[in-house]
């Protein structure tokens, strides 16, 4: 078996070897310069503090790749298969080239031995043949998808990415990348085919099935051995040129995501968006220019493959608002690479409109959809911080913030009115600031003040009382928890609200905190100091616990066919999907899921302070309008169940506005629980 193997340059004159190595040196030099050109900004960027637990970060990145790939396979099996073929094919071919290089250029000249022969070479040959086919088929599938244009998110329109970006360049880059890959792949097989036609194989044909099949095809097409001899060198150069051009092109193309994407996954923050960091930049607060980015953020910008998954799920985009999460990332990346970066130009107002920054409902759908875990929300919040520090904000938002600063709520109501809803409850509710309680109920602004929510809040209290829960409220001492205040970029006010609440909570004796508001729930759970060691519960989690312990026993089955809306801050932010569904199941209702449910739920549009902003006419329907239409379209469903006061308000309004009141009723889950009791 020792003679089995292959000489890379065997049949070629010496100048081929010299020309190849010279070309390879140029390609590698261009690659290194390109990487330097992109990477030099990282060296100048601010620290990110993400070098901790490096090994577990790498393990998590690998696990996330697996998880996300299986999600892609489930959502779009064709794309999943094409990606799998392409990825595995590419990795094996890349490894094969690396092994060949080590054998040819290091082991043979330096040690005088070749390890790529005998049985090793047979397996090497077979692996490269099989994975080479997968690679070419995967590429073909990708090209087919693009040519057919059946995936709208892959097509770009100028207005989706914002001013100044050349969409035609993105499209050209995509095609050039695919063309170079295809050239290298197909030419590689053709070289193998004509070589086998010319020389035959020194080993059984099944170890090189594709090469042998191609050689037979060429022979059947009338290609003589002499012609194969001449053709071999031409094809060999074509293959080499495709591969070397690809190497040189990587840092300037989408292909760079192979490196930046893995880096992005390794250095991502798995709590990003859920827990915001306090601003590290002051005067002005927030991000204004390129030098404000950390290296991890620059790496994430470079990782974007323009797949448009974030764009496709964005409720702002669906409502015709001028925000595309993909456009945002591409704008920022273009900024980093352009001369504007050096001039210290502010990006808001120069490619990125303030209006687009304010359009985000912080629903987390973009970050959840992004296969490379790019963190859009923290970037948007930093830009909002900058705008807020300059007083550049919507009138409605300004009014809400002023009210929050003065009264601790966004409703411009004096603190004593916070308990107003308790008048609707027949029994007295304990004051948790005066007496110890098992559950401290952090009621929140909307549940306390909005007239549409107050009835639901009173019903929640009635259910709690009926179940004999030992609970109490903070009363007039409670302030807005600050989740959305933080997300509009008003960090100072957030801290004041949080500190006031924390002071109050310190003097209370309780076991757990419970709230009906997912926004409040998120910030209490993720951004407040641990409340006396107790848990923070959403009321659906508490109801689920009470059901399991037998303390909540529905006395009848409800004969409704309902659908349930997952609030973003409960589901995507905190992974609470089962508790509300288990409660509904226990009530006996028939739950029909909307197409967008669970982690794919569609935002109502109220988050991130959008509820306070003057609604701009996006030209299309608002997210809440789209959502109620989705619920109303479900066969036989007449009830849209919600578990969030803001959802209750948004959807009640949307149902009225759409004239769907006869067709669809919005009900809080507690109303169903009360009915079943
Ligand atoms: S968080 Fe939601 S609204 Fe904001 S950019 Fe992402 S998908 Fe769009
Ligand atoms: S940010 Fe992520 S999801 Fe959006 S286009 Fe880029 S890679 Fe795709």
């Amino acid at each position: 078996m020792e003679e089995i193997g292959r000489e890379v340059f065997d049949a070629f004159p010496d100048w081929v070897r010299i020309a190849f190595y010279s070309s390879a040196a140029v390609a590698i030099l261009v690659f290194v310069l390109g990487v330097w050109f992109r990477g030099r900004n990282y060296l100048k960027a601010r620290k990110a503090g993400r070098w901790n637990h490096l090994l577990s970060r790498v393990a998590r990145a690998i696990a996330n790749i697996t998880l996300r790939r299986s999600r892609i396979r489930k959502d779009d099996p064709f794309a999943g298969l094409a990606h799998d073929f392409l990825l595995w094919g590419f990795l094996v071919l890349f490894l094969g080239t690396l092994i060949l290089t080590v054998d040819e250029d290091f082991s043979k000249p330096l040690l005088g031995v070749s390890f790529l022969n005998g049985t090793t070479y047979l397996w090497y040959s077979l692996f490269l043949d099989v994975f080479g086919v997968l690679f070419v088929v995967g590429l073909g599938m990708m090209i087919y998808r693009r040519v057919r244009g059946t995936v709208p998110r892959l097509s770009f329109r100028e207005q989706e990415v914002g001013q100044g970006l050349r969409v035609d360049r993105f499209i050209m880059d995509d095609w050039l990348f695919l063309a170079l890959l295809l050239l290298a792949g197909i030419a590689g097989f053709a070289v193998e085919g004509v070589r086998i036609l010319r020389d035959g194989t020194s080993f059984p044909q099944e170890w090189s099935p594709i090469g042998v099949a191609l050689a037979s095809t060429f022979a059947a097409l009338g290609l003589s051995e002499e012609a194969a001899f001449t053709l071999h060198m031409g094809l060999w150069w074509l293959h080499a040129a495709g591969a070397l051009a690809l190497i040189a092109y990587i840092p300037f193309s989408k292909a760079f995501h192979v490196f930046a994407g893995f880096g992005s996954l390794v250095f991502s923050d798995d709590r990003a968006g859920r827990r915001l960091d306090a601003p590290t930049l002051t005067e002005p607060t927030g991000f204004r220019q390129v030098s404000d980015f950390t290296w991890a953020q620059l790496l994430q910008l470079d990782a974007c493959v323009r797949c448009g998954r974030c764009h496709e799920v964005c409720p702002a985009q669906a409502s015709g608002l001028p925000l595309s999460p993909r456009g945002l990332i591409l704008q920022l990346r273009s900024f980093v690479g352009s001369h504007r970066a050096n001039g210290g130009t502010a990006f808001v107002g120069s490619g990125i409109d303030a209006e687009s920054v304010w359009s985000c409902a912080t629903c987390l759908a973009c970050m959840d959809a992004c296969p490379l875990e790019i963190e859009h929300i923290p970037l948007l919040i930093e830009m909002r911080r900058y705008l807020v520090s300059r007083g550049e904000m919507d009138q409605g938002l300004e009014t809400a913030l002023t009210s929050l600063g003065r009264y601790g709520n966004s409703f411009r109501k004096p603190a004593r009115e916070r308990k107003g809803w308790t008048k609707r409850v027949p029994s007295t509710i304990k004051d948790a600031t005066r007496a110890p309680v098992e559950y401290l109920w952090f009621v929140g602004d909307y549940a306390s003040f909005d007239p549409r929510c107050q009835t639901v809040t009173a019903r929640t209290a009635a259910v709690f009382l009926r179940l004999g829960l030992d609970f109490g409220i903070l009363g007039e001492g409670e302030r807005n928890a600050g989740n959305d205040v933080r997300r509009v970029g008003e960090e100072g006010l957030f801290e004041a609200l949080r500190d006031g609440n924390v002071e109050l909570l310190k003097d209370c004796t309780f076991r757990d905190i419970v709230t009906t508001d997912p926004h409040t729930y998120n910030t209490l759970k993720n951004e407040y100091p641990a409340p006396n060691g107790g848990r923070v519960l959403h009321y659906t989690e508490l109801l689920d616990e009470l059901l399991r312990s037998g303390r909540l026993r529905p006395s009848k089955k409800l004969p409704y066919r309902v659908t349930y809306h997952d609030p973003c801050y409960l589901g995507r932010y905190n992974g609470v999907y089962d508790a509300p569904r288990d409660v509904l199941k226990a009530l006996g209702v028939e739950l029909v899921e909307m197409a967008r449910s669970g982690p794919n739920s569609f935002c109502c549009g109220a988050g991130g302070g959008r509820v306070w902003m003057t609604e701009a006419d996006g030209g299309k329907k608002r997210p809440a309008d789209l959502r109620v239409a989705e619920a109303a379209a479900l066969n036989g469903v007449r009830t849209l169940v919600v578990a969030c006061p803001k959802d209750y308000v948004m959807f009640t309004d949307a149902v009225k506005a759409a004239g769907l009141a006869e067709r669809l009723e919005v009900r809080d889950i507690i109303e169903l629980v009360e009915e079943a009791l």
Side-chain angles (χ1 to χ4, degrees):
M1 298 283 265
E2 285 312 307
E3 71 284 0
I4 294 173
R6 176 157 56 93
E7 289 293 329
V8 176
F9 297 102
D10 64 342
F12 302 146
D14 280 351
W15 68 263
V16 173
R17 185 185 286 264
I18 296 167
F20 174 77
Y21 282 118
S22 310
S23 313
V26 172
I28 290 169
L29 185 68
V30 175
F31 174 85
V32 171
L33 286 175
V35 171
W36 166 249
F37 182 73
R38 284 186 95 145
R40 69 196 162 139
N41 290 315
Y42 302 177
L43 301 176
K44 289 186 273 176
R46 292 191 309 115
K47 287 184 186 156
R50 296 200 181 180
W51 284 104
N52 55 337
H53 311 299
L54 199 54
L55 277 182
S56 53
R57 279 178 175 277
V58 172
R60 189 197 58 186
I62 293 169
N64 281 347
I65 292 173
T66 317
L67 196 75
R68 286 190 180 270
R69 295 194 74 76
S70 64
R71 234 168 101 176
I72 294 175
R73 261 181 238 123
K74 200 171 135 220
D75 294 348
D76 185 350
F78 187 86
L81 203 63
H83 271 118
D84 283 345
F85 283 177
L86 195 59
L87 177 75
W88 288 110
F90 178 83
L91 286 179
V92 171
L93 292 181
F94 179 73
L95 202 65
T97 311
L98 210 61
I99 291 172
L100 190 65
T101 309
V102 171
D103 188 57
E104 185 68 21
D105 299 330
F106 296 97
S107 189
K108 280 185 193 171
L110 299 178
L111 306 174
V113 289
S114 166
F115 56 82
L116 204 53
N117 55 34
T119 310
T120 312
Y121 181 76
L122 291 181
W123 283 107
Y124 174 86
S125 167
L126 184 64
F127 258 79
L128 257 56
D129 253 29
V130 172
F131 281 89
V133 169
L134 294 186
F135 177 71
V136 173
V137 171
L139 265 175
M141 290 167 80
M142 293 280 197
I143 292 171
Y144 173 78
R145 272 173 100 222
R146 280 179 182 269
V147 171
R148 285 207 59 200
T150 48
V151 191
R153 66 182 160 77
L154 293 179
S155 340
F156 281 92
R157 278 177 294 130
E158 210 72 55
Q159 63 270 33
E160 287 170 358
V161 287
Q163 306 157 8
L165 290 188
R166 295 278 306 274
V167 166
D168 52 340
R169 284 208 188 141
F170 295 142
I171 296 168
M172 207 176 71
D173 174 43
D174 286 354
W175 282 111
L176 189 58
F177 177 48
L178 287 173
L180 288 175
L181 285 174
L182 200 63
L183 178 70
I186 289 183
F189 272 128
V191 171
E192 192 189 2
V194 291
R195 183 170 44 78
I196 292 175
L197 177 62
R198 188 195 66 186
D199 301 339
T201 55
S202 55
F203 49 82
Q205 300 198 338
E206 58 270 23
W207 292 98
S208 194
I210 309 300
V212 170
L214 278 173
S216 311
T217 311
F218 292 150
L221 290 172
L223 189 73
S224 65
E225 286 183 25
E226 294 71 37
F229 194 88
T230 318
L231 196 59
H232 184 213
M233 198 187 336
L235 287 170
W236 188 91
W237 268 115
L238 203 60
H239 174 57
L244 294 179
L246 197 62
I247 290 172
Y249 188 48
I250 283 174
F252 309 98
S253 73
K254 179 183 196 164
F256 194 63
H257 87 271
V258 176
F259 307 103
F262 189 68
S264 171
L265 289 167
V266 169
F267 294 110
S268 66
D269 174 4
D270 51 8
R271 293 180 70 201
R274 295 163 178 88
R275 183 227 350 91
L276 294 176
D277 292 327
T280 44
L281 290 173
T282 45
E283 293 176 17
T285 310
F287 284 14
R288 186 181 86 88
Q289 57 191 6
V290 167
S291 57
D292 297 337
F293 287 114
T294 66
W295 61 263
Q297 285 164 331
L298 293 181
L299 186 71
Q300 293 208 332
L301 299 183
D302 275 337
C304 176
V305 282
R306 308 190 290 263
C307 69
R309 288 178 198 282
C310 56
H311 175 90
E312 192 177 51
V313 294
C314 176
Q317 182 59 216
S319 326
L321 291 168
L323 169 66
S324 157
R326 170 173 60 185
L328 172 87
I329 297 299
L330 295 178
Q331 281 286 355
L332 291 174
R333 182 157 88 192
S334 145
F335 224 93
V336 174
S338 76
H339 65 278
R340 294 176 294 177
N342 301 325
T345 315
F347 25 69
V348 181
S350 177
I352 298 172
D353 293 335
E355 202 189 339
S356 70
V357 174
W358 290 120
S359 296
C360 177
T362 64
C363 70
L364 206 72
C366 51
M367 287 173 51
D368 196 57
C370 179
L372 298 164
E373 304 203 340
I374 292 169
E375 296 159 12
H376 309 70
I377 293 178
L379 290 172
L380 279 158
I381 304 296
E382 287 292 2
M383 286 186 256
R384 286 181 171 189
R385 283 174 175 167
Y386 170 67
L387 290 169
V388 167
S389 73
R390 291 165 58 94
E392 291 175 26
M393 67 184 95
D394 170 275
Q395 185 57 51
L397 175 59
E398 198 173 346
T399 308
L401 292 179
T402 308
S403 167
L404 281 154
R406 186 171 302 161
Y407 305 112
N409 66 73
S410 59
F411 285 80
R412 287 187 279 169
K413 299 274 187 196
R416 65 175 181 282
E417 287 189 29
R418 195 174 269 278
K419 285 197 310 185
W421 61 271
T422 56
K423 292 188 194 121
R424 303 177 189 214
V425 185
S427 313
T428 311
I429 295 176
K430 258 185 170 177
D431 182 345
T433 61
R434 291 169 191 266
V437 289
E438 192 176 358
Y439 295 104
L440 187 145
W441 181 7
F442 201 108
V443 185
D445 278 12
Y446 265 75
S448 300
F449 293 109
D450 190 284
R452 288 158 293 187
C453 295
Q454 283 176 329
T455 316
V456 175
T457 311
R459 286 178 153 187
T460 309
V463 170
F464 285 179
L465 287 166
R466 194 154 163 192
L467 295 174
L469 288 193
D470 176 22
F471 73 98
I473 57 175
L474 293 169
E476 56 192 63
E478 181 187 302
R479 297 167 173 84
N480 181 299
N483 186 75
D484 301 313
V485 173
R486 193 170 216 198
R487 278 150 187 85
V488 296
E490 198 6 321
E491 184 71 12
L493 181 54
F494 164 74
E495 284 173 9
L497 293 167
R498 181 196 58 196
D499 295 349
N501 284 322
V502 168
E503 274 306 305
L504 194 61
L505 289 169
K506 257 191 217 156
D507 296 333
C508 302
T509 307
F510 58 92
R511 197 184 74 187
D512 297 322
I513 293 185
V514 65
T515 181
T516 59
D517 181 356
H519 300 241
T520 300
Y521 173 77
N522 181 66
T523 195
L524 289 180
K525 191 171 175 175
N526 298 318
E527 298 181 318
Y528 272 50
N532 297 355
R535 299 173 301 165
V536 177
L537 295 171
H538 187 245
Y539 69 140
T540 56
E541 291 178 296
L542 176 59
L543 292 170
D544 192 32
E545 277 187 14
L546 296 171
L547 268 170
R548 286 173 199 281
S549 66
R551 207 159 153 191
L552 167 59
R553 277 200 215 105
S555 62
K556 61 175 178 184
K557 297 278 179 205
L558 302 181
Y560 305 133
R561 196 170 155 87
V562 308
T563 191
Y564 169 71
H565 168 80
D566 288 276
C568 305
Y569 276 89
L570 187 65
R572 262 194 300 272
Y573 272 77
N574 289 292
V576 180
Y577 299 112
D578 293 340
R581 285 176 172 77
D582 288 348
V583 172
L584 288 173
K585 211 185 293 167
L587 302 181
V589 297
E590 184 189 349
L591 176 63
V592 181
E593 295 285 4
M594 286 181 267
R596 294 180 290 190
S597 66
N600 298 325
S601 181
F602 187 72
C603 176
C604 75
R610 290 283 308 158
V611 76
W612 298 319
M613 295 177 210
T614 316
E615 195 65 59
D617 181 8
K620 289 191 196 170
K621 290 184 181 271
R622 296 171 307 161
D625 300 331
L626 298 170
R627 191 58 164 166
V628 296
E630 189 177 352
L634 293 174
N635 189 19
V637 168
R638 299 186 65 85
T639 309
L640 169 58
V641 181
V642 296
C644 166
K646 289 192 185 84
D647 282 337
Y648 192 82
V649 170
M650 298 297 284
F651 293 147
T652 311
D653 280 355
V655 164
K656 251 191 234 153
L660 285 170
E662 297 294 308
R663 170 81 189 74
L664 189 73
E665 188 185 14
V666 179
R667 297 188 75 183
D668 191 283
I669 195 167
I670 204 74
E671 296 180 278
L672 297 181
V673 172
E674 190 188 34
E675 191 180 334
L677 282 171

